[in-house]
Amino acid sequence: MTKKPDLSAQIAKAIRDAIISGEMNVDERLPSEAELSDQFNVSRPTVREGLKRLAAQNLIRTQRGASGGAFVNRLSFEDAYPQQITTSTLLLSMNAVSFDTACEARFALERACATLSSQRRTPDHLATMRAEIVRQGQPGLTDEAFCASDVAFHRALVDGAGNPVLSYQLAGAVEAMQPLMNMITFTARSRERIVELHTTIADALENRDPVAIETTLHCLAEYTVELAHNVISARNR
Amino acid sequence: MTKKPDLSAQIAKAIRDAIISGEMNVDERLPSEAELSDQFNVSRPTVREGLKRLAAQNLIRTQRGASGGAFVNRLSFEDAYPQQITTSTLLLSMNAVSFDTACEARFALERACATLSSQRRTPDHLATMRAEIVRQGQPGLTDEAFCASDVAFHRALVDGAGNPVLSYQLAGAVEAMQPLMNMITFTARSRERIVELHTTIADALENRDPVAIETTLHCLAEYTVELAHNVISARNR
DNA sequence: TCACATCCAATTGTCAGACAATTAAGCTTT
DNA sequence: AAAGCTTAATTGTCTGACAATTGGATGTGA
C-alpha cells in the first residue's frame, strides 16, 4: 500500500529532483509562486510550503520584490556544516549510541587525516594547535571551554589535510561528540594528560611524522573512553 | 546590520532549538497549529511553513485526525542516510570539487574502517562482497550497474566495521562519488583490474589482514584517479 | 544629455476565514 | 460485548486579500 505524501512534499520532491539532476542550474530562477501553483494545480500556500521545505535544506533562497523570486542556491560547505553537525548530534543523542561507539568512529576518521595532514599542514595550522594547547593549560577554564578548545584543536588537525570534503565529513564526527564530552568533568590531572598528548600530536605534525600522530590519537581515544567509563561508574554509585 | 529572517524561519528555529536542547523529547507532541499561532502571534499558514521546514529535516512528523498533531521524530540513521547522500552529492557537483579531492577523501575515510572491519566483519559481509565481485565480472553489465555494484561492495566493507556512526559518515563519501564515477567508461581491461583489486581486498578481509586492505585500497584509489584522468584528457582532444 | 526623484508593477511575506479529510474516542444499538 | 455511528479535534488545502520590498520605467530639471 502506497502512502500519500502531502502535496507540498510532492512539489518539493519534484523541484529537488530537478535541481539534483542538473535540470536546473545554480542561481537559476524558479517560476514565481503563482506560476508554480498553476503548473502543479495547487494553491499558493501549498506551493509555499513546498518551497519552505527546500529552503530548510538550503537548496533555494528567496528574494522579494520585482525580479525577485526563488533561486537555486549554491550549496556551500559553509552552509552544509551546521546542518551536518545538527544532524550528527541528534543522531547520537536520539539513538542510544554508546560513548565508545561514537568515540571509536571519531578517532578512526581522524586517523584517516593523519598522513595527509602531516604532508600538507601549514604553519597556520600548527600555530592554531599550539594556541589551543596553551589555552587548555590555563587554570580556571570551565569544562565547556576546555571541550570547545579541544574541538578547535582537532579541527585544525583535520583542516591541515587541505581537503574540504574530509573537513566536512569530520565536522560531523568531531563536533557532534561535544555534548557527550561535556558529560565528562575533567580533573586537573586528566587535563594535564590530554595536553601532554596534544603536544605530542602537534610535535609529530610539525615533524611530519604520520605514524606518531596515529599512535598518539589511538592513546587519546583510549584515554577518553577511560575517562567516560570512570564518570559512568561513579554515577552508578 | 541585522538580517530579518522570515517569521516561519524564526518559528522553525525556536522549535528546533527546543528539540536539540532536549527541552522536548522524542515522540512528544507539539502544540496544535492553532495553539502555536496563538503563542507566536502569527497566522496558521505561517506556523505551517515553519513546521514544514522542520519536517523537511526529519525533525518532526505529523498526523491527522483527533489526537493527531506534530510529534518530535526520532531521527534514525535510516532517515539521515538519504539526506546525507543528497547533501554530499550536491556539495561535490556545485562546488567544483576535483575528482582527485573527492577520491582522496573517500579512500582516506575508507581506510579508516580497515582495521575495525578486519576484526569484526561477519561471514555475511564477506558473502556480500564476493557476490558483488562476481556481478562485476559479468560481461554486458552497464557502466551504471558496475558503479552501483562497486558502491555495494565498498559499503559492505564499511559496514563490516560494525559501527553505525562510521557507516553513516561513509555513506556520504562513498555514494556521493557515484555521479562522478559514472563519468568514467570502464573498459573490459579496467574492470578486470578493479575486480582483481576487489578480490585482494576481500581475501585480506577474510584473513583479517588490515595492512593488506589499506595497501590495496591505496592502489585502488590511485587506479581510479588514473582512469578519471584518462577520461578527462581524452575529452580535451 | 545626464543625474535624480517618482511612480509602477512584479514578487514574496503575512493574514483571515473557510471547507475537506482523517482519525481517535465516545456513544448507541444489537 | 461487539459492531456500527457520531462527534470533536486536528492537519491538509483553497480562496482572497493586503503589506513589504525592490528593480525598472518614467518623468523632470539643470
Side-chain angles (χ1 to χ4, degrees), chain B residues 101-110 150 154 170 173-174 177 181:
Chain B
T101 302
C103 208
E104 176 181 280
R106 174 193 157 168
F107 282 101
L109 294 173
E110 211 170 322
D150 183 73
H154 288 279
L170 267 289
V174 174
M177 285 286 295
M181 297 290 285

Side-chain angles (χ1 to χ4, degrees), chain A residues 106-107 109-122 124-130 132 149-163 166-167 170 174 197-198 200-206 209-210 212-214 216-218 220:
Chain A
R106 173 192 157 170
F107 282 100
L109 294 173
E110 211 170 322
R111 278 198 300 277
C113 305
T115 303
L116 291 171
S117 195
S118 69
Q119 290 166 3
R120 302 192 193 148
R121 93 287 183 289
T122 66
D124 224 40
H125 296 122
L126 280 175
T128 300
M129 292 167 76
R130 299 286 187 197
E132 296 298 339
S149 172
D150 182 73
V151 167
F153 174 87
H154 288 278
R155 188 137 165 179
L157 172 62
V158 171
D159 288 342
N163 187 315
L166 270 182
S167 293
L170 268 287
V174 174
L197 290 167
H198 282 178
T200 306
I201 291 173
D203 291 346
L205 194 68
E206 190 159 6
D209 179 355
I213 299 174
E214 290 189 21
T216 313
L217 280 174
H218 207 94
L220 188 53

Side-chain angles (χ1 to χ4, degrees), chain A residues 13-28:
Chain A
K13 175 167 167 37
I15 299 176
R16 181 163 41 235
D17 287 347
I19 295 175
I20 294 174
S21 72
E23 197 177 324
M24 301 204 65
N25 296 311
V26 167
D27 291 337
E28 190 176 335

Side-chain angles (χ1 to χ4, degrees), chain B residues 34-73:
Chain B
E35 289 171 309
L36 286 173
S37 61
D38 271 356
Q39 286 181 26
F40 289 102
N41 241 320
V42 297
S43 67
R44 212 186 124 210
T46 303
V47 167
R48 282 181 61 81
E49 287 180 8
L51 293 178
K52 293 310 172 194
R53 296 179 109 106
L54 299 177
Q57 298 176 304
N58 280 309
L59 292 184
I60 62 171
R61 61 178 186 280
T62 54
Q63 199 180 356
R64 290 221 268 203
S67 74
F71 298 83
V72 178
N73 202 24

Side-chain angles (χ1 to χ4, degrees), chain A:
Chain A
M1 185 57 189
T2 54
K3 288 179 185 176
K4 195 175 60 181
D6 295 1
L7 289 180
S8 70
Q10 292 177 36
I11 291 167
K13 175 167 167 37
I15 299 176
R16 181 163 41 235
D17 287 347
I19 295 175
I20 294 174
S21 72
E23 197 177 324
M24 301 204 65
N25 296 311
V26 167
D27 291 337
E28 190 176 335
R29 184 180 175 279
L30 274 68
S32 72
E33 294 173 355
E35 288 171 308
L36 286 172
S37 62
D38 271 357
Q39 286 181 27
F40 289 103
N41 241 317
V42 298
S43 68
R44 213 187 123 210
T46 303
V47 167
R48 282 181 61 79
E49 288 180 7
L51 292 178
K52 293 310 172 194
R53 296 180 110 106
L54 299 176
Q57 298 177 304
N58 279 308
L59 292 184
I60 62 171
R61 61 179 186 280
T62 54
Q63 199 180 356
R64 287 220 270 204
S67 74
F71 298 84
V72 177
N73 203 25
R74 157 161 279 122
L75 188 59
S76 65
F77 283 95
E78 206 174 38
D79 290 338
Y81 263 71
Q83 178 95 15
Q84 165 82 337
I85 292 168
T86 299
T87 304
S88 298
T89 305
L90 286 174
L91 276 172
L92 292 189
S93 70
M94 285 182 169
N95 285 284
V97 173
S98 72
F99 189 90
D100 294 12
T101 302
C103 207
E104 175 180 281
R106 173 192 157 170
F107 282 100
L109 294 173
E110 211 170 322
R111 278 198 300 277
C113 305
T115 303
L116 291 171
S117 195
S118 69
Q119 290 166 3
R120 302 192 193 148
R121 93 287 183 289
T122 66
D124 224 40
H125 296 122
L126 280 175
T128 300
M129 292 167 76
R130 299 286 187 197
E132 296 298 339
I133 288 174
V134 170
R135 178 171 305 153
Q136 288 158 21
Q138 286 174 346
L141 202 67
T142 66
D143 280 346
E144 279 194 7
F146 184 80
C147 282
S149 172
D150 182 73
V151 167
F153 174 87
H154 288 278
R155 188 137 165 179
L157 172 62
V158 171
D159 288 342
N163 187 315
V165 182
L166 270 182
S167 293
Y168 165 73
Q169 298 286 354
L170 268 287
V174 174
E175 305 235 7
M177 284 287 296
Q178 208 164 355
L180 295 180
M181 297 291 285
N182 279 334
M183 298 183 338
I184 303 178
T185 48
F186 295 96
T187 63
R189 206 170 60 243
S190 62
R191 286 193 190 187
E192 197 180 326
R193 173 79 178 129
I194 289 173
V195 166
E196 194 181 305
L197 290 167
H198 282 178
T199 304
T200 306
I201 291 173
D203 291 346
L205 194 68
E206 190 159 6
N207 297 329
R208 304 191 187 277
D209 179 355
V211 176
I213 299 174
E214 290 189 21
T215 308
T216 313
L217 280 174
H218 207 94
C219 292
L220 188 53
E222 284 184 345
Y223 187 61
T224 305
V225 168
E226 185 187 323
L227 285 178
H229 282 196
N230 289 346
V231 169
I232 291 170
S233 57
R235 187 168 301 169
N236 288 348
R237 256 177 282 134

Side-chain angles (χ1 to χ4, degrees), chain B residues 131-171:
Chain B
E132 296 299 338
I133 288 174
V134 169
R135 179 171 304 154
Q136 289 159 20
Q138 285 173 346
L141 204 66
T142 66
D143 280 346
E144 279 194 6
F146 184 79
C147 281
S149 173
D150 183 73
V151 167
F153 174 87
H154 288 279
R155 187 137 168 181
L157 173 62
V158 171
D159 288 343
N163 186 315
V165 181
L166 270 182
S167 293
Y168 166 72
Q169 298 285 356
L170 267 289

